[in-house]
Each structure stands twice: as structure tokens, then as C-alpha cells.
Amino acid sequence: MNKIIISPSILTADFLNLGSEINKIENSEAKWIHLDVMDGSFVPNISFGPKIISDISSKTQLFCDVHLMVNNPKHLFKSFVEAGSSCITIHSEATEDLVGDLLELKKLGVKCGVSIKPNTSIEKIKPVLDIVDLILIMGVEPGFGGQSLIPETLEKVSQLVQLRNQNRKYLISIDGGVKTDNIKLIKEKGIDVVVVGSAFFNSKDQVKLVKDLQEL
């Protein structure tokens, strides 16, 4: 079995020392960095825009895992692709043309993903399972870090593994409340990528944390 991908989210990082915080990710041997873009409308918080992503992508070899938690995201695609996003994930709940938006991302030459909130069923995203490179399951209500994982959301991972067995190739990711005390259960469901925020940046030993998350 391949090791799961660890994608530390900078939402809970110290933005006054963002360069050193990114160095912690690189030194931990995590390969991805998760970038939550929030508009204050789709979710009640506001984070950052393409400038931060451009600054990060130009200074690191990390895979830039960009999560757009914004309403009607299509008008932002070009700026975020040009900023150096490796993959752009949009919410099924935030657009009226999910298929069209994902195909537009493909046309722009970037990997694309779809995310669903805890109360959204897998049925909503079945029409795009043959398009997406990544499916992001929200294990918490999106918008804020430091929340506890909603256990019921893990059943969606199991469903997506079964659907992927029908000759599909997407990665399955989970975001929210991932910690060493629940990672074994999460991995048993068949997850490929875990997003970690507060657990990573509040850790005194990020190298050990990443190793534990991959090997527990």
C-alpha cells in the first residue's frame, strides 16, 4: 500500500512568519501544501488570494493544493492558475455549472477537484467522477480550523473507493479534524490524501507527526 499524502493547511499557520512555516512543511517531508481560499460569502471567513499563492509557488517545490471556498468560482480560475496552483478544487454547492467549471479548469491546464460539505451526498458529484483528479470530503463545516472530525463523513470515503473501482482514477482527500488518534480509522476507509492544519502547526515535532500519520 502506498503511503498517504500529507497536505498541511496554512490556515492555522503564523502568517507573520509564513516563510518559516512553509519550511516546516518542506522539512517534514510532506509533499503537498493546502491553501484555503475563502470569500466571506460561501463560508463566513476570509483568507487570502492569488498573491499569496504566487509567492508560495515561486519559492517551493510543494504541490499547491488550492481549495476555493468561494461562490461562483469560475471568474477566479485564470488568476489562480497563473499564480501557480497545481490543483484547484471547487465546491459542488458553490456553482450552478459544476461540469462546465471543472472542464474549464482542465482547459486551463491544471488538475481539478470537487469538494462537498458534510451534509452533501455523493449523489451530487456522481456526474463529475470521470472528470476530476481529486475529491475532497469535508470532515467539518468549512471556514475555520481546529474543529473535530464528524465521523459520519468517513462513510463517503468508502463510497468513493467503491465508485473508483469502476475504472476511475481520482484521489480521495479529507479535510478537517485529522489527528494521530483518528488517522488509523481514516486510512482504513481508503483515503489517499489527508489535510492537516492545527494538528501540524501546533505540533512540536512536524517531522514525527508526518511520519506517524503515514505509518500508524
Side-chain angles (χ1 to χ4, degrees):
M1 180 183 294
N2 293 331
K3 286 186 177 180
I4 59 169
I5 296 166
I6 310 299
S7 186
S9 169
I10 65 167
L11 190 61
T12 52
D14 177 3
F15 274 68
L16 190 61
N17 298 288
L18 192 52
S20 63
E21 296 284 68
I22 292 168
N23 286 340
K24 290 178 183 177
I25 299 175
E26 294 173 325
N27 293 336
S28 75
E29 298 190 5
K31 304 302 183 186
W32 289 24
I33 180 171
H34 189 81
L35 302 148
D36 286 309
V37 177
M38 300 181 286
D39 64 356
S41 176
F42 180 71
V43 291
N45 202 357
I46 297 174
S47 58
F48 48 79
K51 174 67 164 59
I52 290 287
I53 292 170
S54 178
D55 289 350
I56 291 172
S57 67
S58 65
K59 299 292 193 301
T60 183
Q61 296 300 309
L62 294 167
F63 184 94
C64 291
D65 175 24
V66 177
H67 180 194
L68 295 186
M69 289 184 274
V70 303
N71 280 318
N72 303 310
K74 188 173 182 178
H75 69 286
L76 298 172
F77 289 171
K78 189 170 185 290
S79 62
F80 278 96
V81 170
E82 291 175 348
S85 304
S86 306
C87 179
I88 295 178
T89 295
I90 63 174
H91 268 268
S92 64
E93 306 92 351
T95 174
E96 294 181 358
D97 185 13
L98 184 59
V99 171
D101 284 358
L102 291 167
L103 291 175
E104 178 65 20
L105 284 170
K106 290 276 192 181
K107 189 191 302 183
L108 290 170
V110 68
K111 292 184 183 297
C112 67
V114 63
S115 182
I116 55 175
K117 292 182 177 183
N119 290 330
T120 301
S121 74
I122 296 299
E123 291 297 320
K124 173 124 186 192
I125 60 171
K126 278 187 175 179
V128 301
L129 295 183
D130 294 313
I131 299 173
V132 293
D133 301 289
L134 177 74
I135 299 174
L136 176 59
I137 301 298
M138 292 305 302
V140 299
E141 286 297 331
F144 296 93
Q147 301 183 64
S148 296
L149 175 72
I150 300 170
E152 291 77 14
T153 59
L154 294 180
E155 293 311 310
K156 295 178 185 178
V157 177
S158 301
Q159 293 175 50
L160 287 169
V161 168
Q162 292 179 350
L163 289 166
R164 185 171 57 188
N165 289 336
Q166 300 170 16
N167 200 29
R168 297 185 175 103
K169 297 181 179 179
Y170 52 76
L171 295 176
I172 306 168
S173 178
I174 191 160
D175 182 359
V178 176
K179 302 182 187 305
T180 54
D181 61 4
N182 60 20
I183 189 63
K184 188 174 182 181
L185 175 61
I186 292 170
K187 288 163 72 172
E188 286 173 353
K189 298 295 182 180
I191 206 72
D192 303 297
V193 183
V194 294
V195 177
V196 287
S198 57
F200 182 88
F201 287 104
N202 292 339
S203 173
K204 294 181 179 178
D205 188 343
Q206 281 90 11
V207 174
K208 183 178 185 301
L209 175 70
V210 169
K211 185 177 180 181
D212 287 346
L213 290 173
Q214 291 182 324
E215 296 183 0
L216 281 175

